[in-house]
Amino acid sequence: MYLSVVCFRFRNSVIVSLHLLYWMIEGMLYVLSSHYQRCVLYFFYCAMNVYSAFCGIPFKSVVFSLHHIANIIFNTTLNVLFSGQKYRLEVGFQAMEHLINVLQTDRSDSEIIGYTLDTLFNIVSNDLEEEEQDDLEEENSQKQVDDLGRQFTEIFIKQQENVTLLLTFLEEFDFQVRWPGVKLLTSLLKQQGPQVQQIILVSPMGVSRLMDLLADSREVIRNDGVLLLQQLTKSNAAIQKIVAFENAFERLLDIVTDEGNSDGGIVVEDCLLLLQNLLKNNNSNQNFFKEGSYIQRMKPWFEVGDDNSGWSAQKVTNLHLMLQLVRVLVSPTNPPGATSSCQKTMFHCGLLQQLCTILMATGVPADILTETINTVSEVIRGCQINQDYFASVNAPSNPPRSAIVVLLMSMVNERQPFVLRCAVLYCFQCFLYKNQKGQGEIVSTLLPSTIDATGNSVSAGQLLCGGLFSTDSLSNWCAAVALAHALQDNATLKEQLLRVQLATSIGNPPVSLLQQCTNILSQGSKVQTRVGLLMLLCTWLSDCPIAVTHFLHNSANIPFLTGQIAENLGEEEQLVQGLCALLLGICIYYNDNSLENCRKEKLKQLIEKRIGKENFIEKLGFISKHELYSRAAQKPQPSFSSPDHMMFDHEFTKLVKELEGIITKAIYKSSEEDKQEEEVKKTLEQHDNIVTHYKKVIREQDQQLEELKQKVNTLKSQNEQLQTAVTQQMSQIQQHKDQYNLLKVQLGKDNQHHTSHSDTLQMNGIQPEEISKLQQEIEELKNKHEVLQGQLREKDSVIENMKSLQSETGTNEQSSQITAGLEHGNELHRELEALRIQIQSQSLDISKLQSEKQELLQQMNTASVPALGDSSAVIAAKNSELEGRLLQEIKELKNDVKALSEEKALLKQHLDSVNSTVAVLQNEKSKLQQEVAESKKEQDDLLVLLADQDQKILALKNKLKELGEPVEDEDDIESGDQGDEDEEEDGEEED
């Protein structure tokens, strides 16, 4: 058919017909030889040539452009899809260059770009078709596939422009282009992650383009975008920071919330994995996550209902990853400040309470419960407020029991899973870490005064003792380590634990806990049990001479230890021998020589005779050389592959590292060196006591100075309050002045009205009685004027007195206060001047009225005008009304003048009180200055004494150095003391 069509189209083109015939014949041959993939290739060549014939395109052009490129693309796709990537190597090497060329030249054709990206993905991807293969064949084929994908990836990214070109295709919204581009870039990152990450990092807006995938409305692209960002953020802190600041936390948490939190599907799992990549070992992102209030959004993840049955596998996985994400934020490997801040935030937002609810819930899967215990452990580790809350949590039982007691019951129960018991031990250790209050509460449950005689409740101490002496070696080890953590760095509790008495059997007297531990050691129990008890004894006796004395008081202990060290036992017993050597070394180093038969010198002689110093040091070195010691020293969490490997505790490894060198030096010291060292220690202790006493005196003086400063501040605040009261009173005076001005204006209007009324009287005729009344009113106004002038003179005298006070006072505080009083006086003076001017104006008005009165009298004498009856009645009414108004206004003016005089008296009294306060302040200031001078003098004396003591201490230290003794610098000691004081202050602030 193809041949007839081509002959019809190209009648004179014999070459094309021959080519088509050749390809068809060769394709049929491949069909006969069962090479179906090659058959498809050649038949497709025929189809392309027929297409070129119908379109009238020259054959050569078709062969070398469209024909060549299109056949490569579709042939590759067919090979990959139909052959299970059997021809992947051949297709990849032949087509890679042409496929990249298509990406560069045909960007406008989205369909061909989509096919090309999909084809490149199939070439680069390492996903094998599921076929029935043996394990060995599958492993070999997987290695070959991995190598092949890595090679094709190297070819693609050899030119960085290819990756940049791929990033531009990801900006296309077309699904046919964007989705295969995301898959291809993800595959490239899987094969050559660091190289591709570096190319994307230097590409302009490279990471920002990829972040836009999370905002795509199509879930397929969004979900694959999450997978892409997972590969992109692996082990690259720079990209992690960029992704975080591109609002990744907000978007990922929104996706988790939309998908249903822990009840969501695999999308939630992918988002949580991406969040772990962004936060793990990245302090900057952790701080950004905390400051962005994203920790508060984690609380709904752990809202588990009452019905915990039927958890799906996906929910278990999601919740497990959520717990791990919380642990990433509070990991002990993080900076202490960042961890503490996250711990406090988790408490205040209720996240810790939610985790404790899961911890005490029923029906929770075992692996989720284990991970929850580990998570709670690290949330409370070293945080006092969280540790106090955890101590108050009770299990929902009847009667209610403490969560600590419930967890310890699981730890000493040999039927519980091993990983769960390890998690409980870790939780108990974290609860006691830097928590002296919690340590005291645990030890107090062992003391005789706090034991419940009724036996209705089980305490934590009873559970630890029960586990310590049970038949299960793992319970022995866990209980011993837990009790050792209750004594860690707490000499007071070590002494109190010596009071614990145990009833071993009926009829026998009770024995101490210390004696019972040594009895179990001598009975030859399992290695794990003996290791746990030896770790407990070493922790108990270290830095506690009283406990060492109690241990040495039992005459059987030293022979047992020397016998264990001197024997030549197998490799399993070497660890026990090393711990026995450590315990014996502690008894020598912390011995206060209170027992004559067990003095330091006698114990060292015993070691030299029965063991030998070199053999003793060699046995002591077995501990740090042990493989399990190195594992335990790596991280605080106890993680062991099997119960038999539980031999060492992380905190105990620190103790061994600290004591090993000290004990070695103590063994090789002579008796004279010991005596000299003891004398030096006593001298140093005396000097330390003196220094401590002086430090205490200085602290007391500092406290007194602080109290005095507080008193001064209180007086200053009172002075400020008085000044504000004066300001308020001045404002009140200003208000009264304003009222006075209003009254003056009203009085001026009344005077004008009176003048106009006098004119009417002149026209209508005025009676002599009315004129006499007006004269009386004028006299009253004169009297009022004289009263106001007297008040003005009084205020002038007050101002003069204040000026004289200013000249008498000398201190800065008094001058400032009197200056303020002078300023107020000046203001009053200005006000009085204004009043004086007003009074003068009023006197001018009065004189005018008098002149007008004289004129009226003259007019009355010269002219007589008949008065009408009706008009005289009206005038009389108006006169009576005017007289009433004038009398009322005069009364109001008198009241105002009286009020002003009272306010003036009050101001004068207040000024007197202020002056007295200033005098009191001056006396107190002089007293304070005298006390400060005395305290400075005392401090100078103390500094002289301390300098003498320092010279003596320096001389003694030089002697010690000459004798070859290690001497700690005072800077280290003071820095340690300061660190302890800072830790105590931080603890008080957290409380």
Side-chain angles (χ1 to χ4, degrees):
M1 180 184 68
Y2 290 146
L3 186 59
S4 62
V5 172
V6 173
C7 291
F8 175 80
R9 180 68 176 172
F10 299 93
R11 295 179 176 88
N12 297 323
S13 183
V14 180
I15 297 175
V16 175
S17 301
L18 291 176
H19 274 87
L20 292 176
L21 180 61
Y22 169 75
W23 285 329
M24 289 181 66
I25 292 171
E26 190 171 357
M28 292 301 296
L29 291 174
Y30 278 112
V31 173
L32 296 175
S33 61
S34 300
H35 287 77
Y36 299 109
Q37 288 78 14
R38 302 291 180 90
C39 173
V40 172
L41 171 63
Y42 284 102
F43 276 118
F44 192 73
Y45 284 169
C46 296
M48 290 302 299
N49 279 279
V50 171
Y51 172 76
S52 67
F54 274 106
C55 294
I57 302 172
F59 171 74
K60 186 176 181 180
S61 177
V62 173
V63 170
F64 290 101
S65 59
L66 180 61
H67 166 73
H68 189 64
I69 297 170
N71 275 287
I72 290 172
I73 296 171
F74 289 102
N75 178 50
T76 305
T77 306
L78 291 172
N79 270 293
V80 174
L81 294 177
F82 294 110
S83 67
Q85 295 187 348
K86 290 181 179 180
Y87 296 96
R88 179 183 174 195
L89 178 62
E90 179 182 358
V91 172
F93 279 113
Q94 291 181 4
M96 179 71 75
E97 181 181 356
H98 302 289
L99 292 170
I100 295 173
N101 188 26
V102 170
L103 293 179
Q104 295 173 350
T105 57
D106 294 334
R107 299 184 185 180
S108 60
D109 192 344
S110 60
E111 185 176 2
I112 198 69
I113 293 297
Y115 288 140
T116 305
L117 293 173
D118 202 3
T119 304
L120 286 171
F121 167 71
N122 289 323
I123 293 174
V124 174
S125 177
N126 285 335
D127 297 333
L128 278 175
E129 186 183 29
E130 295 183 0
E131 296 179 357
E132 294 182 0
Q133 295 178 346
D134 297 336
D135 294 339
L136 183 59
E137 293 179 358
E138 184 177 357
E139 184 178 356
N140 294 332
S141 59
Q142 184 63 40
K143 289 182 180 179
Q144 294 176 0
V145 167
D146 292 342
D147 294 338
L148 194 60
R150 192 173 295 107
Q151 292 175 7
F152 286 134
T153 302
E154 289 178 357
I155 294 172
F156 186 83
I157 67 173
K158 188 175 182 181
Q159 299 293 330
Q160 296 186 6
E161 295 80 5
N162 296 336
V163 180
T164 306
L165 182 63
L166 182 57
L167 292 174
T168 59
F169 288 132
L170 293 180
E171 294 181 342
E172 297 290 337
F173 187 75
D174 190 354
F175 182 83
Q176 193 173 359
V177 176
R178 199 172 202 183
W179 187 40
V182 171
K183 294 192 295 181
L184 175 58
L185 187 56
T186 304
S187 183
L188 294 175
L189 286 167
K190 287 181 181 179
Q191 304 302 327
Q192 297 288 342
Q195 292 83 349
V196 180
Q197 285 175 344
Q198 190 62 29
I199 296 172
I200 295 174
L201 190 60
V202 299
S203 177
M205 300 297 292
V207 179
S208 299
R209 295 174 183 175
L210 301 180
M211 287 300 300
D212 293 337
L213 298 174
L214 297 180
D216 200 306
S217 58
R218 295 160 294 194
E219 292 187 359
V220 176
I221 296 179
R222 184 200 67 183
N223 298 341
D224 284 348
V226 174
L227 298 176
L228 171 60
L229 291 174
Q230 280 185 24
Q231 300 297 327
L232 180 66
T233 55
K234 280 185 178 179
S235 305
N236 194 309
I239 293 180
Q240 290 170 2
K241 292 178 183 178
I242 296 173
V243 172
F245 283 98
E246 288 285 345
N247 205 21
F249 293 139
E250 184 74 26
R251 295 182 182 181
L252 291 173
L253 292 175
D254 288 340
I255 294 173
V256 172
T257 303
D258 295 340
E259 294 291 330
N261 293 328
S262 60
D263 294 325
I266 195 171
V267 178
V268 174
E269 178 182 351
D270 295 336
C271 292
L272 294 173
L273 291 172
L274 177 54
L275 286 171
Q276 284 192 14
N277 286 350
L278 296 175
L279 293 173
K280 195 170 185 179
N281 299 325
N282 195 317
N283 299 328
S284 176
N285 282 1
Q286 290 175 7
N287 187 40
F288 180 69
F289 191 85
K290 177 185 69 68
E291 291 180 353
S293 301
Y294 295 118
I295 293 178
Q296 289 83 339
R297 296 188 60 180
M298 298 170 69
K299 181 185 176 184
W301 294 355
F302 305 102
E303 292 178 355
V304 179
D306 297 334
D307 186 12
N308 293 321
S309 60
W311 285 42
S312 63
Q314 186 61 54
K315 182 176 181 179
V316 172
T317 303
N318 292 342
L319 199 56
H320 196 273
L321 291 173
M322 291 172 178
L323 292 169
Q324 287 182 348
L325 192 61
V326 175
R327 294 185 64 183
V328 165
L329 296 171
V330 294
S331 174
T333 60
N334 294 340
T339 300
S340 176
S341 179
C342 290
Q343 288 173 334
K344 293 177 182 178
T345 303
M346 290 178 182
F347 172 77
H348 292 299
C349 74
L351 180 58
L352 176 60
Q353 294 83 333
Q354 203 68 42
L355 292 174
C356 292
T357 301
I358 299 177
L359 195 66
M360 295 291 103
T362 57
V364 179
D367 53 347
I368 294 297
L369 181 60
T370 302
E371 189 63 22
T372 303
I373 295 173
N374 289 327
T375 305
V376 171
S377 304
E378 295 183 351
V379 172
I380 67 174
R381 187 176 189 269
C383 183
Q384 188 65 48
I385 185 172
N386 291 4
Q387 290 169 339
D388 293 341
Y389 172 77
F390 183 72
S392 65
V393 175
N394 291 323
S397 59
N398 191 14
R401 289 178 176 173
S402 172
I404 298 175
V405 173
V406 174
L407 292 175
L408 289 177
M409 292 174 67
S410 300
M411 186 184 74
V412 299
N413 187 356
E414 55 184 319
R415 291 177 293 180
Q416 293 292 338
F418 171 65
V419 292
L420 179 63
R421 299 175 73 180
C422 290
V424 173
L425 176 61
Y426 184 47
C427 185
F428 191 73
Q429 291 174 353
C430 292
F431 170 68
L432 297 178
Y433 183 71
K434 294 183 179 180
N435 183 12
Q436 293 188 356
K437 180 181 177 182
Q439 289 176 328
E441 292 174 353
I442 297 299
V443 173
S444 65
T445 59
L446 288 167
L447 300 178
S449 59
T450 58
I451 295 177
D452 187 4
T454 61
N456 294 329
S457 61
V458 180
S459 65
Q462 292 173 345
L463 289 171
L464 291 177
C465 286
L468 195 62
F469 308 125
S470 69
T471 57
D472 180 27
S473 61
L474 183 58
S475 297
N476 302 150
W477 190 91
C478 292
V481 171
L483 195 56
H485 276 264
L487 303 175
Q488 194 77 33
D489 300 327
N490 199 324
T492 304
L493 296 181
K494 292 177 182 179
E495 296 178 5
Q496 290 184 1
L497 200 64
L498 296 172
R499 298 165 45 202
V500 177
Q501 300 290 322
L502 301 175
T504 56
S505 60
I506 300 175
N508 293 327
V511 297
S512 65
L513 177 61
L514 183 65
Q515 182 62 41
Q516 184 65 16
C517 291
T518 56
N519 292 339
I520 296 174
L521 274 177
S522 61
Q523 293 174 2
S525 54
K526 293 182 181 180
V527 175
Q528 190 176 36
T529 301
R530 285 182 287 164
V531 169
L533 291 172
L534 285 170
M535 286 195 298
L536 173 60
L537 290 174
C538 290
T539 305
W540 193 348
L541 269 61
S542 64
D543 200 15
C544 186
I546 298 176
V548 172
T549 303
H550 279 72
F551 181 80
L552 296 176
H553 194 270
N554 187 353
S555 59
N557 289 337
I558 297 300
F560 169 74
L561 293 178
T562 55
Q564 288 287 320
I565 299 169
E567 292 182 2
N568 293 322
L569 303 175
E571 294 182 359
E572 295 182 355
E573 296 293 332
Q574 286 182 353
L575 187 57
V576 177
Q577 288 182 319
L579 290 172
C580 289
L582 179 65
L583 183 59
L584 184 56
I586 291 172
C587 293
I588 293 174
Y589 184 75
Y590 292 104
N591 193 347
D592 58 357
N593 294 327
S594 59
L595 295 177
E596 184 64 27
N597 296 329
C598 296
R599 297 175 64 86
K600 289 184 178 181
E601 185 62 28
K602 291 186 178 181
L603 292 177
K604 288 194 288 186
Q605 292 176 359
L606 182 63
I607 290 174
E608 188 173 2
K609 290 179 180 178
R610 297 196 57 183
I611 304 171
K613 293 183 179 180
E614 291 76 10
N615 190 22
F616 178 85
I617 299 302
E618 182 182 359
K619 297 293 178 67
L620 181 63
F622 286 161
I623 302 174
S624 58
K625 295 178 182 178
H626 203 279
E627 180 183 2
L628 297 178
Y629 175 90
S630 301
R631 292 183 183 179
Q634 292 177 359
K635 57 182 180 179
Q637 182 180 1
S639 57
F640 305 98
S641 57
S642 64
D644 297 335
H645 292 164
M646 293 186 71
M647 290 295 177
F648 286 106
D649 174 61
H650 178 75
E651 294 296 329
F652 182 74
T653 59
K654 296 180 180 178
L655 181 65
V656 173
K657 187 177 180 181
E658 178 184 353
L659 293 177
E660 187 176 2
I662 297 174
I663 292 173
T664 302
K665 292 180 180 179
I667 294 297
Y668 285 105
K669 285 180 181 178
S670 62
S671 58
E672 295 180 356
E673 292 176 347
D674 286 337
K675 290 180 181 178
Q676 291 179 357
E677 183 180 355
E678 289 179 359
E679 292 177 359
V680 171
K681 283 184 178 179
K682 290 180 181 178
T683 306
L684 290 175
E685 288 178 357
Q686 292 176 359
H687 288 299
D688 291 339
N689 293 331
I690 293 172
V691 172
T692 304
H693 173 69
Y694 283 125
K695 286 182 178 180
K696 183 178 179 181
V697 172
I698 291 172
R699 288 194 188 97
E700 291 177 355
Q701 291 179 352
D702 290 338
Q703 290 178 357
Q704 292 176 359
L705 287 175
E706 289 295 330
E707 292 176 357
L708 293 174
K709 288 180 180 179
Q710 291 178 359
K711 289 181 181 179
V712 170
N713 293 330
T714 303
L715 293 174
K716 286 182 179 179
S717 63
Q718 291 178 358
N719 187 17
E720 291 176 356
Q721 292 176 359
L722 293 174
Q723 287 180 355
T724 54
V726 171
T727 305
Q728 292 177 357
Q729 291 179 358
M730 292 298 297
S731 64
Q732 292 178 359
I733 291 172
Q734 184 65 34
Q735 292 178 359
H736 290 300
K737 286 171 61 181
D738 296 337
Q739 293 177 359
Y740 177 76
N741 292 330
L742 291 174
L743 292 173
K744 184 181 69 173
V745 172
Q746 292 178 358
L747 182 61
K749 292 180 179 179
D750 292 336
N751 289 332
Q752 293 177 358
H753 179 70
H754 178 71
T755 303
S756 61
H757 183 65
S758 64
D759 294 336
T760 55
L761 288 177
Q762 184 178 3
M763 293 175 63
N764 297 322
I766 300 175
Q767 298 297 328
E769 293 83 1
E770 295 175 356
I771 295 172
S772 63
K773 289 181 180 178
L774 291 174
Q775 290 178 351
Q776 291 176 0
E777 290 174 1
I778 291 169
E779 292 296 329
E780 289 176 356
L781 289 173
K782 287 182 179 180
N783 295 329
K784 181 179 177 181
H785 175 68
E786 292 177 357
V787 171
L788 291 174
Q789 286 181 347
Q791 292 177 357
L792 180 60
R793 286 191 295 272
E794 290 178 358
K795 290 185 179 181
D796 290 337
S797 63
V798 170
I799 292 170
E800 294 296 329
N801 292 329
M802 292 175 69
K803 288 183 180 179
S804 62
L805 287 173
Q806 182 182 11
S807 61
E808 293 175 359
T809 56
T811 61
N812 294 330
E813 293 180 356
Q814 291 173 343
S815 63
S816 63
Q817 291 178 352
I818 294 174
T819 302
L822 288 173
E823 291 178 356
H824 297 315
N826 291 330
E827 291 179 359
L828 292 173
H829 183 69
R830 288 193 294 269
E831 294 172 2
L832 291 174
E833 289 295 332
L835 291 173
R836 183 180 295 169
I837 292 170
Q838 293 173 2
I839 292 171
Q840 291 177 356
S841 63
Q842 289 179 358
S843 62
L844 292 175
D845 294 335
I846 292 170
S847 61
K848 289 181 181 180
L849 290 174
Q850 288 178 352
S851 61
E852 291 176 354
K853 184 186 76 169
Q854 295 295 330
E855 291 177 357
L856 288 174
L857 292 174
Q858 292 175 1
Q859 291 177 1
M860 288 176 64
N861 293 326
T862 56
S864 60
V865 179
L868 298 175
D870 296 335
S871 61
S872 61
V874 173
I875 291 171
K878 289 182 179 181
N879 289 333
S880 62
E881 182 181 356
L882 179 60
E883 290 175 359
R885 289 177 59 187
L886 287 174
L887 290 174
Q888 184 177 359
E889 289 175 357
I890 290 169
K891 289 180 181 179
E892 290 176 356
L893 287 173
K894 288 181 180 180
N895 293 330
D896 291 338
V897 171
K898 185 178 180 181
L900 288 172
S901 62
E902 290 176 355
E903 288 177 359
K904 174 188 169 184
L906 290 174
L907 285 173
K908 186 175 181 181
Q909 292 177 0
H910 183 65
L911 183 61
D912 295 335
S913 64
V914 170
N915 292 330
S916 62
T917 304
V918 170
V920 172
L921 288 173
Q922 183 181 5
N923 294 329
E924 290 181 353
K925 179 181 177 181
S926 61
K927 291 180 181 179
L928 288 176
Q929 289 176 349
Q930 185 178 1
E931 290 175 356
V932 169
E934 292 176 357
S935 64
K936 286 183 179 179
K937 184 177 179 182
E938 291 177 357
Q939 287 181 353
D940 294 335
D941 297 336
L942 291 175
L943 290 174
V944 173
L945 292 174
L946 288 175
D948 296 335
Q949 296 297 331
D950 289 337
Q951 292 179 357
K952 293 180 182 178
I953 292 170
L954 183 60
L956 291 173
K957 286 185 177 179
N958 291 329
K959 290 182 181 179
L960 285 175
K961 291 181 180 178
E962 292 175 359
L963 294 174
E965 295 298 326
V967 179
E968 296 180 351
D969 293 331
E970 289 182 358
D971 295 336
D972 297 336
I973 297 173
E974 291 177 359
S975 63
D977 295 339
Q978 186 64 30
D980 295 338
E981 293 176 1
D982 294 339
E983 290 178 359
E984 292 176 1
E985 291 176 358
D986 295 337
E988 291 175 358
E989 290 177 358
E990 292 174 354
D991 291 337

